[in-house]
């Protein structure tokens, strides 16, 4: 059995934004990196919206026009063992509005780190495989960007901790993955000394409600090609609605239902390289822009171990097919 | 399967540890204040110069019940009954109101202003509906508490509270009724004792006068305000500081004095300050006739200018003829090189703002959905006044000086803005993008600069030790509008000059009101 190391990484979630700039991948997929291998590469994504939900009311705004976001990330995953991976990512983001007078914004956003653990991988008959994953995530701002500049802020400037449980079932090349996530979000501090939500707050500290969500994805996966479709639902557990014609605020109740597709291709002659692309669309939301997003990435795998890794990769890419 | 359970258990443990270790409870800056414990009760404040009240004697307050009367004993029994079993919620209310009625009503006013500071959304045909005082619940709800509206609301609130408390102090001294805890040792003084006579109750005077002003300014909030009135009065009784008769007399007095202010407000020309399409067009025509480029709204669809006739509102600190004397001279002509240079400076600044500049802009932005610059200066003043241990009447006096200055600053500023009808930097150089929302009224002079310098001038007089801090705040607030790309330096500099002139009128009043 060959050692196959698949790299499958791109932009980590920037979910809590007024716009959703990218869909998480490696932390959402049921694939592991082999031990002592580092997979790393750049990702670009572009998202835009010209309609948003003010509370539950869908509207446009001629004083904003289309809000677009470009995200340039470096993402990577390292195989601590075949069953335990370390994921990291950090994006540079620029935002702008096509109408009105609001100034654009750009800078480095949040560092995201994940530990991904696969405690169970079980063959069910000859053609099927069932596996379970537990993920622990952490994110924290890498710069002192403004959270309170929505919809053009780079992020919400909250330090977060996430816990995710994921199940994957594969039959021949076809698979289905489901996961559920709970995200704790730490309070943030804004530049003004008080603010109004549904009442006045005489403080610059903002309570950030936690988030919870699920993700289902299905498609075809093989050594060289992955093609999948996904749906995700992310809800803020609390928060308040934007009032009629008010500005958005970091502790709004931002909810999003998103559908998307993702493909990955590994050239035969250069199996350490992978090229990925994807797109997503926000179907329905609350206090959030209805964004359409496209992304593309290139990754390369660097084996960091001196001795040749003879350990068979436990990944389902290797054991099935 | 065993493993799945262990994962679930681990996850649950990690999340609960996280949850416990990272409590999100926020303690706000004025949450845990001690009870107001004035350095002096200003027992002679009944002689201080009032704003609209010509003489405290014009109001009739019946003498209090004798402390040995059966009516008074019943009052004491009511307090004792409450004090036998006070719930945590009741104790919290006693503590909350104990920090000071002027302070708490000021905070409530800031909340109402922020809540109602939302510009109306346009109609299908691209015009904008106006809030209606006669139909306040219809969208857009009345009022849209924009900066001039807010400044005026704070001024009426504070001036009326001041007159009411001066009158209250007059009767306190006249009747010299001891506090319930002084008469009966079995009554606890939960917020501490003082030598201030308790009849009529200052808490109830405040509740009465404030509720009438707030009801006028925020008619959709009447039910909410009435709850606060009852809460403050109940807290005063339960704390042992006031009897039912102190409260009843106080609330009635407060409401009577409010009537002077609500009558003035109805006739101060603010009701018509929104103008009409003919008025709006006349600004454009007159400015063009002078050979100047007129301001236009940078919103889509174009919104009518904010309260264009607010400059005609009746000021508190000087008569209307003084407005034109304070109004700064002509700005650089829109056709001049100097004007272009001013706007190019704004453009240069906005190209690469630093994070510290962004912070300054947001700190002072006080835009849509906030309590406006006037609310911000009220917050600054209140948090400093807390340190000074003023009596309620001195709190009210200082807030009145600040807020009459804020309203008059708004009047002078709005008069100037519409006298010159000068365009914003973004109108002159469309590439100028702003770091916060661009206001919908002419540029010259800067409202933030006028409000802030008016505030810092009078606050520096009230607390001389803080004068340097207030001056630095004011300069930063003015500078923030240039940094934000919203104003030229000329707008900010002239705004500060005008604000200072208004502030000096407030100082002149302060020096002659008998409180210093």
């Amino acid at each position: 059995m060959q050692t196959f190391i698949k790299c499958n990484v791109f932009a980590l979630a920037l979910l809590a934004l007024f716009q959703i700039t990218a869909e998480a991948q490696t932390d959402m997929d049921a694939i592991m990196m082999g031990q002592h291998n580092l997979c790393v590469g750049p990702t670009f994504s572009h998202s835009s919206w010209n309609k948003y939900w003010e509370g539950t009311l869908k509207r446009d705004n001629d004083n904003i026009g289309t809000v677009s976001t470009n995200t340039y990330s470096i993402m990577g995953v390292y195989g601590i063992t075949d069953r335990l991976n370390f994921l990291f990512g950090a994006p540079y983001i620029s935002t702008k509005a096509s109408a009105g007078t609001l100034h654009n914004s750009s800078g480095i956003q949040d560092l995201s780190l994940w530990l991904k653990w696969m405690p169970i991988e079980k063959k069910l008959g000859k053609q099927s495989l069932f596996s379970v994953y537990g993920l622990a995530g952490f994110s924290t701002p890498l710069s002192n960007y403004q959270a309170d500049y929505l919809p053009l802020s780079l992020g919400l400037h909250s330090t977060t901790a996430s816990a995710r449980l994921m199940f994957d079932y594969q039959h021949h090349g076809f698979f289905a993955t489901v996961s559920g996530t709970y995200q704790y979000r730490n309070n943030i501090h804004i530049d003004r000394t008080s603010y109004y939500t549904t009442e006045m707050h005489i403080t610059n500290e903002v309570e950030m409600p936690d988030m919870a969500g699920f993700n289902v994805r299905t498609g075809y996966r093989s050594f060289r090609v992955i093609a999948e479709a996904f749906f995700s639902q992310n809800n803020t557990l609390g928060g308040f609605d934007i009032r009629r014609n008010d500005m958005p605020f970091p502790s709004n109740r931002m909810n999003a239902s998103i559908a998307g597709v993702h493909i990955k291709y590994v050239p035969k002659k250069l199996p350490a390289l992978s090229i990925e692309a994807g797109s997503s669309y926000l179907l329905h939301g609350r206090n959030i822009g209805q964004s359409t997003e496209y992304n593309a990435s290139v990754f390369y795998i660097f084996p960091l171990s001196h001795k040749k890794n003879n350990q068979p990769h436990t990944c389902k890419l290797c054991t099935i097919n | 399967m065993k493993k799945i359970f262990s994962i679930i258990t681990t996850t649950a443990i990690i999340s609960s540890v996280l949850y416990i270790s990272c409590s999100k409870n926020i303690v706000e800056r004025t949450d845990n204040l001690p009870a107001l414990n004035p350095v002096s009760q200003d027992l002679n404040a009944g002689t201080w110069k009032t704003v609209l009240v010509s003489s405290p004697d014009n109001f009739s307050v019946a003498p209090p019940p004798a402390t040995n009367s059966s009516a008074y004993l019943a009052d004491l029994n009511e307090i004792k009954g409450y004090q036998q079993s006070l719930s945590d919620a009741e104790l919290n209310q006693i503590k909350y109101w104990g920090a000071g009625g002027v302070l708490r009503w000021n905070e409530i006013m800031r909340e109402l202003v922020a809540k109602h500071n939302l510009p109306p959304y346009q109609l299908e045909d691209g015009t904008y509906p106006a809030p209606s005082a006669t139909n306040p619940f219809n969208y857009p709800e009345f009022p849209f508490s924009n900066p001039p509206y807010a400044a005026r609301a704070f001024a009426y609130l504070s001036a009326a509270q001041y007159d009411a408390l001066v009158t209250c102090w007059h009767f306190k001294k006249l009747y010299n009724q001891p506090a319930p805890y002084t008469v009966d040792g079995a009554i606890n003084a939960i917020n501490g004792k003082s030598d201030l006579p308790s009849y009529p109750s200052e808490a109830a005077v405040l509740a009465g006068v404030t509720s009438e002003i707030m009801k006028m300014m925020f008619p959709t909030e009447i039910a909410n305000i009435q709850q606060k009135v009852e809460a403050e009065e109940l807290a005063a009784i339960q704390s042992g500081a006031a009897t039912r008769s102190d409260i009843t007399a106080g609330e009635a007095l407060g409401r009577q004095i409010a009537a002077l202010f609500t009558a003035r407000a109805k006739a101060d020309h603010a009701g018509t300050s929104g103008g009409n399409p003919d008025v709006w067009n006349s600004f454009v025509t007159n400015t063009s006739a002078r050979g100047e480029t007129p301001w236009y709204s940078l919103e889509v669809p174009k919104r009518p200018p904010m309260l264009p006739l607010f400059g005609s509102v009746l000021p508190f600190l000087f008569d209307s003829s003084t407005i034109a004397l304070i109004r700064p001279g002509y700005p650089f002509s829109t056709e001049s090189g100097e004007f272009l240079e001013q706007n190019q400076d704004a453009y240069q600044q906005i190209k690469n703002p630093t994070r510290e500049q962004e912070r300054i802009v947001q700190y002072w932005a006080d835009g849509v959905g906030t309590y406006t610059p006037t609310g911000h200066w009220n917050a600054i003043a209140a948090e400093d006044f807390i340190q000074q241990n003023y009596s309620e009447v001195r709190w009210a006096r200082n807030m009145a000086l600040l807020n009459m200055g804020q309203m008059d600053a708004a009047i002078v500023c709005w008069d100037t803005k519409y006298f010159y009808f000068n365009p914003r930097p973004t109108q002159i150089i469309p590439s100028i993008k702003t770091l916060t929302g661009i206001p919908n009224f002419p540029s010259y002079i800067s409202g933030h600069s006028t409000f802030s310098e008016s505030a810092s001038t009078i606050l520096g007089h009230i607390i001389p030790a803080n004068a340097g801090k207030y001056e630095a705040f004011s300069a930063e607030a003015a500078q923030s509008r240039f940094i934000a790309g919203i104003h030229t330096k000329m707008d900010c500099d002239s705004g500060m000059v005008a604000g200072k002139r208004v502030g000096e009128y407030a100082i002149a009043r302060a020096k002659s009101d008998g409180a210093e």
Side-chain angles (χ1 to χ4, degrees), chain A residues 144-204:
Chain A
N144 184 26
Y145 65 84
Q146 303 185 66
D148 185 20
Y149 188 58
L150 290 169
L152 297 178
S153 67
L154 306 181
L156 300 179
H157 213 263
S158 177
T159 292
T160 74
S162 303
R164 176 172 301 146
L165 192 58
M166 182 160 67
F167 302 92
D168 183 77
Y169 177 77
Q170 177 154 350
H171 184 71
H172 290 284
F174 297 95
F175 73 95
T177 310
V178 299
S179 61
T181 305
Y182 188 89
Q183 185 181 53
Y184 168 90
R185 301 195 298 175
N186 214 355
N187 290 353
I188 63 169
H189 292 86
I190 57 177
D191 292 333
R192 42 186 166 140
T193 53
S194 72
Y195 56 93
Y196 185 85
T197 54
T198 53
E199 58 183 355
M200 196 80 222
H201 298 272
I202 304 178
T203 174
N204 67 339

Side-chain angles (χ1 to χ4, degrees), chain B residues 55-398:
Chain B
S55 165
D57 287 329
N58 293 355
F59 296 90
S60 65
V61 174
T67 51
N68 57 4
S69 67
S70 60
Y72 191 80
L73 288 177
D75 278 355
L76 294 182
N77 285 336
E78 184 189 5
I79 300 174
K80 287 176 186 173
Y82 279 128
Q83 289 195 342
Q84 285 196 338
S85 59
L86 289 170
S87 67
D88 284 348
E90 288 170 328
L91 286 167
N92 282 339
Q93 281 293 301
I94 291 170
K95 184 174 161 62
Y96 169 83
W97 288 103
V102 175
L103 166 70
R104 294 309 186 190
W105 284 112
N106 187 274
E107 291 180 345
I108 293 164
M109 188 67 165
R110 278 181 252 152
E111 179 173 50
L112 294 180
V113 168
K115 181 177 177 183
H116 292 273
N117 184 10
L118 292 176
Y121 187 74
Q122 67 265 24
L123 301 170
E124 291 282 324
D125 64 0
T127 63
Y128 290 87
S132 158
T134 52
N135 212 349
F137 284 96
N138 264 20
Y139 188 84
E141 274 194 13
F142 179 87
F144 165 25
S145 51
N146 51 44
Y149 189 93
R152 174 171 167 270
F154 276 105
Y156 275 92
L157 173 82
S158 297
Q161 286 182 339
Y162 170 66
D163 273 16
L165 285 185
V166 168
T167 309
C168 173
W169 254 244
H170 165 83
F171 286 106
K172 277 179 182 289
K173 192 169 184 190
L174 179 68
Y175 293 125
N176 202 25
Q177 176 90 327
Y181 49 72
T182 309
V183 176
D184 188 334
I187 289 175
N188 289 328
I190 295 179
N191 281 327
K193 295 186 178 182
S194 83
D195 53 355
L196 186 68
S198 73
Y199 184 92
S201 156
E202 69 278 14
V205 167
L206 276 172
V209 69
T210 304
S211 66
E212 291 298 324
I213 301 294
M214 283 186 173
K215 280 154 69 174
M216 168 182 66
M217 295 293 178
F218 296 95
T220 61
E221 300 287 345
I222 291 176
N224 174 19
I225 293 161
Q226 185 56 32
Q227 284 180 349
K228 308 267 190 208
V229 165
E230 287 159 18
E232 184 186 20
E233 294 179 349
L234 183 62
I237 293 174
Q238 291 179 333
S239 75
T243 62
R244 180 64 64 188
S245 49
D246 296 336
I247 295 292
T248 307
E251 186 182 321
L253 178 62
R255 288 187 195 272
Q256 281 184 70
I257 289 167
L260 291 178
F261 287 84
T262 50
R264 182 194 195 272
K266 283 186 183 116
D268 73 358
H269 311 304
T272 52
S273 60
N276 57 52
D278 290 340
V279 170
W280 307 334
N281 290 332
S282 70
F283 290 114
V284 180
T285 317
N286 296 344
T287 310
S288 301
R290 285 192 285 117
E292 295 287 306
T293 303
W295 172 86
Y296 62 72
S297 169
L298 293 162
E299 288 192 44
V300 185
K302 288 195 186 314
R303 190 186 288 274
M306 182 185 288
L307 302 184
L309 300 181
F310 196 85
S312 307
V313 171
L314 189 62
F316 269 115
L317 296 173
F318 38 77
D319 58 37
S320 293
S321 61
T322 307
I323 298 168
L325 303 177
I326 301 177
R327 179 197 308 140
Y330 280 86
F332 291 124
S333 163
T334 54
E335 311 310 303
S336 69
E338 290 95 332
F339 183 76
L340 189 59
E341 201 176 304
Q342 287 274 327
N343 285 281
Q344 275 167 346
D345 284 350
Y347 185 37
Q348 284 308 315
Q349 162 55 37
I350 202 63
K351 282 181 178 168
N352 289 302
T354 65
R355 180 65 185 90
E356 171 60 9
Q357 289 174 329
E358 289 175 349
R359 184 198 67 75
I360 291 169
V361 168
Q362 301 307 340
Y363 187 90
W364 294 106
D366 300 321
V368 165
T370 73
Y371 48 39
T372 80
T374 291
H376 195 161
W377 280 99
N378 273 260
I380 291 167
E383 286 173 33
D384 285 349
F385 290 175
I386 290 167
Q387 310 298 325
Q388 303 293 317
N389 299 312
Y390 293 138
S391 63
E392 287 280 25
V393 68
R394 190 170 289 275
W395 258 92
R397 178 251 187 190
N398 291 341

Side-chain angles (χ1 to χ4, degrees), chain A residues 85-242:
Chain A
N85 283 187
F86 173 67
L87 285 55
F88 57 91
Y92 173 91
I93 295 180
S94 66
T95 65
K96 68 174 202 287
S98 70
T101 74
L102 272 188
H103 201 279
N104 57 17
S105 163
S106 61
I108 294 173
Q109 196 221 31
D110 303 342
L111 171 72
S112 293
L113 304 173
W114 288 91
L115 271 178
K116 182 176 180 181
W117 176 45
M118 180 177 67
I120 296 170
E121 187 178 49
K122 207 165 196 168
K123 265 195 158 181
L124 307 170
K126 283 187 179 170
Q127 307 287 344
S128 304
L129 189 67
F130 172 72
S131 47
V132 177
Y133 300 76
L135 293 92
F138 170 80
S139 79
T140 195
L142 285 177
S143 72
N144 184 26
Y145 65 84
Q146 303 185 66
D148 185 20
Y149 188 58
L150 290 169
L152 297 178
S153 67
L154 306 181
L156 300 179
H157 213 263
S158 177
T159 292
T160 74
S162 303
R164 176 172 301 146
L165 192 58
M166 182 160 67
F167 302 92
D168 183 77
Y169 177 77
Q170 177 154 350
H171 184 71
H172 290 284
F174 297 95
F175 73 95
T177 310
V178 299
S179 61
T181 305
Y182 188 89
Q183 185 181 53
Y184 168 90
R185 301 195 298 175
N186 214 355
N187 290 353
I188 63 169
H189 292 86
I190 57 177
D191 292 333
R192 42 186 166 140
T193 53
S194 72
Y195 56 93
Y196 185 85
T197 54
T198 53
E199 58 183 355
M200 196 80 222
H201 298 272
I202 304 178
T203 174
N204 67 339
E205 186 175 356
V206 179
E207 182 175 334
M208 295 294 285
D210 293 347
M211 294 192 78
F214 67 86
N215 182 294
V216 296
R217 44 207 315 125
T218 184
Y220 174 81
R221 73 166 70 109
S222 71
F223 297 135
R224 291 188 45 219
V225 175
I226 291 178
E228 60 182 341
F230 66 84
F231 173 82
S232 77
Q233 177 68 42
N234 286 279
N235 287 358
T236 303
L237 307 174
F240 69 102
D241 283 334
I242 304 171

